[in-house]
Amino acid sequence: MQSVGKDGSQVTNYSDRFTLSGMTGTFPPTIQAGIAKITDTTGPASTNQKAPAAAGGAQGAQGDYAVTYTAQTGLIKYAPMQIPPGTKITAKTVSPRYPTSSVPIAKAFLPTPKQTTTMTASLTVKPAVSHAFNAPAASMPAADDMQKFLNRWRD
């Protein structure tokens, strides 16, 4: 079982080994050689991979989210929250918010990435207007209205 801590560390806990019976099929020779080396049923010891410190050492108020995405290493990468849209369109021309970056095209197979997930910062802005979303309770029908309704279903 794997779990990830708040600091980005990843803990892996292994169970003891077990046997399945009634299975058919064969294993490749490399797997058979590995099985032959097993001497008991005790699983491997748990591992705790500490997340490396963010680039530059100390973290600011934004923590891991303040480190640029490409400078991050470790099992989890942190992305800032997208900028919420404005309430009015005032721009007369369009310009990119961030400069473009080059993307090298892979010319050979790349290694399996070590990153397991990307965390995005949660919403940090508050709405300017707050509305109560609770609708008032419906009033009970008048007694004569209810009687009219019940009279419809009389046989």
Side-chain angles (χ1 to χ4, degrees), residues 27-114:
F27 288 113
T30 54
I31 301 294
Q32 290 177 358
I35 292 171
K37 293 179 184 177
I38 297 173
T39 58
D40 64 1
T41 59
T42 305
S46 296
T47 60
N48 186 356
Q49 299 172 346
K50 298 285 185 186
Q59 298 177 350
Q62 293 289 324
D64 293 320
Y65 296 103
V67 179
T68 59
Y69 193 83
T70 54
Q72 295 178 31
T73 59
L75 299 173
I76 299 175
K77 288 198 173 189
Y78 298 88
M81 183 187 90
Q82 68 180 12
I83 298 170
T87 57
K88 296 179 182 175
I89 299 174
T90 58
K92 303 294 182 203
T93 61
V94 178
S95 61
R97 186 177 301 264
Y98 301 105
T100 59
S101 59
S102 64
V103 177
I105 304 301
K107 301 195 186 305
F109 286 105
L110 298 174
T112 303
K114 294 179 181 170

Side-chain angles (χ1 to χ4, degrees), residues 103-146:
V103 177
I105 304 301
K107 301 195 186 305
F109 286 105
L110 298 174
T112 303
K114 294 179 181 170
Q115 173 189 350
T116 58
T117 189
T118 297
M119 301 292 290
T120 304
S122 60
L123 184 63
T124 56
V125 296
K126 294 182 179 174
V129 179
S130 177
H131 297 284
F133 293 105
N134 295 339
S139 60
M140 293 297 295
D144 56 337
D145 290 342
M146 181 59 78

